[in-house]
């Protein structure tokens, strides 16, 4: 049978700053998911949060980009927004950037990652397992480095040397600065075009992995949200905070191969006011963003798909592990190092990125005060 996994997330308000949603908001979304399962819209669903972003993970038979599923998620976020507003939460409805989307929340603010595939439970995929990554306080390219390493570098994924994966993976990369006429996408194969892929992915504010496919089996391995909220809103409204849905095992990398590059805690665009370069710290699910310097965080849940298409009964929290403590310490050290130079140089994002925020107004006022002094 054809099955679709849909991951849709949005920040619709948080308590005491950009930290986490309230329990009431989460419970309201959960209640709607339960009702949607009862009604037959969804096979299964689970609601989590990573920092202040609420993430709805769903399985269903409607296919990707289905208006009923997208409208369901939108309405659930609207219900949570009303509760956020009642509590005086910060940024109530923050990521709901249009009045009412026309049946698809892509481009309306929420982040979407979806894969539709044939769920055969037969060789070469007798079992179906998948990971859901959710990142908060991050630019849209936060997964560029870890996923390139997992899908194209045998130093991180020894599985690439197996016959099932040795042909490599196909990367669909989106130019997020160009939205004219639709999505601007380039398709490049690894390993042959690894250097070209790296050339693009080094700039995570502009280029992002949108999807990854197995070249041998032509099956989709990964789907990522790649929205630039400031491109939709025309100004800074909050950070993009991308989600990634990744099928694992068999002819795809194993979870351990996918999560090991996150031990690098790479600097990504994000942090306070979405305007800094800060290390990406792996955290357990349902972690609030607190701490001393608004660290970008990423969570990772692993699931198995039951024959019925249900998945929520059991999960594995991959970043809730004692080994994570060492990695988190490394992230804190890298954060302290870069925070020690405050606003200076690479600690903050380049002006192009700050252009959408209030920093632009301060800059424009100053630029007007410059006077031309003729050289003698
Ligand atoms: P969020 O995008 O997670 O709401 O964070 C925005 C921000 O400006 C944090 O300082
Ligand atoms: Mg927020
Ligand atoms: Mg957020």
């Amino acid at each position: 049978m054809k099955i679709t996994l849909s991951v849709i997330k949005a920040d619709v308000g948080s308590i005491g700053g950009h930290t986490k949603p309230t329990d009431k908001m989460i419970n309201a979304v959960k209640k709607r998911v339960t009702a949607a399962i009862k009604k037959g819209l969804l096979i299964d669903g689970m609601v989590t949060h990573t920092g202040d972003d609420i993430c709805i993970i769903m399985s269903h038979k409607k296919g990707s980009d289905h208006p009923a599923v997208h409208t369901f998620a939108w309405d659930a976020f609207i219900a949570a927004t009303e509760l956020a507003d009642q509590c005086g939460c910060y940024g109530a409805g923050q990521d709901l950037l249009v009045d009412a989307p026309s049946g698809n929340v892509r481009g309306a603010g929420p982040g979407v990652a979806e894969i539709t595939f044939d769920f055969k439970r037969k060789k070469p995929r007798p079992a179906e397992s998948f990971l859901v990554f959710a990142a908060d306080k991050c630019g849209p390219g936060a997964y560029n480095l870890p996923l390139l390493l997992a899908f194209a570098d045998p130093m991180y994924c020894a599985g690439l040397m197996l016959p099932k994966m040795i042909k490599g993976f196909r990367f669909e990369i989106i130019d997020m600065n160009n939205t004219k006429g639709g999505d601007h996408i380039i398709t490049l194969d690894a390993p042959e075009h690894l250097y070209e892929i790296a050339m693009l992915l080094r700039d995570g504010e502009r280029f992002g992995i949108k999807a990854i496919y197995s070249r041998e089996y032509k099956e989709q391995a990964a789907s990522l949200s790649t929205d630039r909220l400031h491109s939709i809103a025309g100004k800074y409204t909050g950070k993009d905070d991308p989600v990634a849905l990744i099928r694992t095992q068999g002819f795809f990398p194993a979870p351990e191969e996918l999560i090991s590059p996150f031990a690098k805690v790479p600097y990504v665009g994000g942090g306070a006011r979405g305007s800094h370069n800060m290390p990406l710290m792996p955290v357990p699910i349902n972690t609030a963003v607190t701490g001393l310097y608004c660290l970008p965080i990423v969570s990772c849940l692993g699931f198995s798909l039951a024959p019925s298409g249900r998945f929520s009964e059991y999960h594995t929290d991959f970043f809730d592990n004692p080994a994570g403590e060492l990695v988190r310490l490394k992230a804190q050290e890298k954060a302290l190092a870069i925070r020690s130079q405050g606003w200076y140089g690479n600690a903050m994002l380049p002006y192009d990125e700050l252009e959408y925020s209030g920093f632009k107004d301060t800059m424009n006022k100053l630029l007007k005060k410059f006077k031309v002094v003729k050289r003698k």
Side-chain angles (χ1 to χ4, degrees):
M1 67 169 168
K2 281 248 187 279
I3 201 149
T4 303
L5 297 173
S6 299
V7 179
I8 307 186
K9 72 92 216 173
D11 174 350
V12 289
S14 51
I15 193 81
H18 292 278
T19 59
K20 62 169 187 177
T22 65
D23 292 344
K24 241 187 179 174
M25 291 162 69
I26 294 277
N27 288 337
V29 178
K30 280 185 181 165
K31 226 165 123 183
R32 283 177 172 257
V33 166
T34 308
I37 296 168
K38 223 176 195 173
K39 246 178 55 189
L41 174 67
L42 304 178
I43 301 172
D44 200 1
M46 182 169 174
V47 183
T48 64
H49 77 88
T50 300
D52 59 7
D53 297 311
I54 298 179
C55 186
I56 315 177
I57 307 164
M58 298 165 273
S59 63
H60 56 89
K61 289 191 186 166
K62 307 265 179 214
S64 301
D65 291 314
H66 196 277
V69 174
H70 280 231
T71 304
F72 160 75
W74 181 269
D75 291 344
F77 289 133
I78 292 278
T81 297
E82 278 160 20
L83 294 170
D85 200 36
Q86 280 170 22
C87 293
C89 279
Y90 195 77
Q94 179 183 288
D95 287 356
L96 307 183
L97 299 176
V98 305
D99 282 340
S102 54
N104 193 321
V105 298
R106 253 178 238 271
V112 183
E114 291 184 303
I115 306 181
T116 299
F117 55 92
D118 225 349
F119 183 37
K120 291 193 190 128
R121 304 189 68 238
K122 278 207 292 248
K123 268 193 164 177
R125 267 187 97 61
E128 192 60 49
S129 50
F130 63 96
L131 296 180
V132 174
F133 289 95
D136 188 33
K137 310 294 177 265
C138 282
Y143 303 111
N144 281 5
L145 178 63
L147 292 195
L148 182 61
L149 295 176
F151 280 94
D153 188 342
M155 292 291 281
Y156 294 84
C157 177
L160 292 168
M161 296 182 286
L162 294 171
K164 288 174 187 172
M165 278 187 267
I166 205 150
K167 269 198 191 159
F169 287 88
R170 176 158 291 177
F171 286 76
E172 244 178 50
I173 296 168
I174 183 167
D175 178 353
M176 293 173 279
N177 280 6
N178 277 325
T179 48
K180 209 172 164 200
D183 289 340
H184 291 234
I185 308 264
I186 187 171
T187 303
L188 291 167
D189 287 342
E192 298 93 301
H193 297 286
L194 184 60
Y195 302 159
E196 284 104 325
I197 297 172
M199 184 69 224
L200 298 172
L201 296 188
R202 57 162 292 284
D203 183 356
E205 300 299 320
R206 175 165 178 186
F207 299 103
I209 301 169
K210 193 173 191 301
I212 304 173
Y213 296 85
S214 154
R215 291 173 70 191
E216 174 75 32
Y217 293 89
K218 318 274 180 256
E219 289 249 356
Q220 186 168 2
S223 167
L224 287 84
S225 67
T226 49
D227 298 291
R228 301 247 51 192
L229 296 187
H230 68 214
S231 307
I232 303 168
K235 60 178 180 354
Y236 179 74
T237 53
K239 210 53 182 171
D240 315 292
D241 301 341
V243 284
L245 167 64
I246 302 180
R247 294 165 71 198
T248 61
Q249 298 286 22
F251 52 78
F252 298 133
E256 54 273 32
E257 291 164 332
L258 281 152
I259 60 174
S260 66
F262 286 87
K264 280 200 173 305
V265 294
Y267 287 113
V268 296
R273 301 188 188 280
S275 305
H276 294 78
N277 280 312
M278 290 291 275
L280 180 61
M281 182 169 78
V283 294
I285 197 69
N286 302 330
T287 296
V289 171
T290 56
L292 299 175
Y293 22 59
C294 194
L295 268 186
I297 59 170
V298 59
S299 62
C300 174
L301 289 187
F303 300 96
S304 285
L305 207 56
S308 60
R310 289 189 71 99
F311 63 87
S312 72
E313 198 180 357
Y314 303 104
H315 68 263
T316 304
D317 187 340
F318 277 97
F319 292 150
D320 187 12
N321 181 287
E325 295 307 326
L326 183 70
V327 173
R328 281 189 275 280
L329 201 60
K330 194 163 126 192
Q332 299 291 352
E333 278 166 357
K334 283 181 75 167
L336 279 170
I338 199 153
R339 291 305 326 128
S340 74
Q341 66 178 62
W343 49 267
Y344 185 67
N346 291 346
M348 282 187 88
L349 291 180
Y351 182 68
D352 279 4
E353 283 304 312
L354 302 182
E355 209 176 352
Y356 298 88
S357 71
F359 291 114
K360 178 176 107 181
D361 303 335
T362 308
M363 188 63 154
N364 284 346
K365 274 188 196 154
L366 289 169
L367 287 174
K368 278 192 199 127
K369 289 184 183 166
F370 275 76
K371 292 202 167 81
V372 182
V373 180
K374 282 249 165 74
R375 284 182 190 168
K376 284 190 183 137

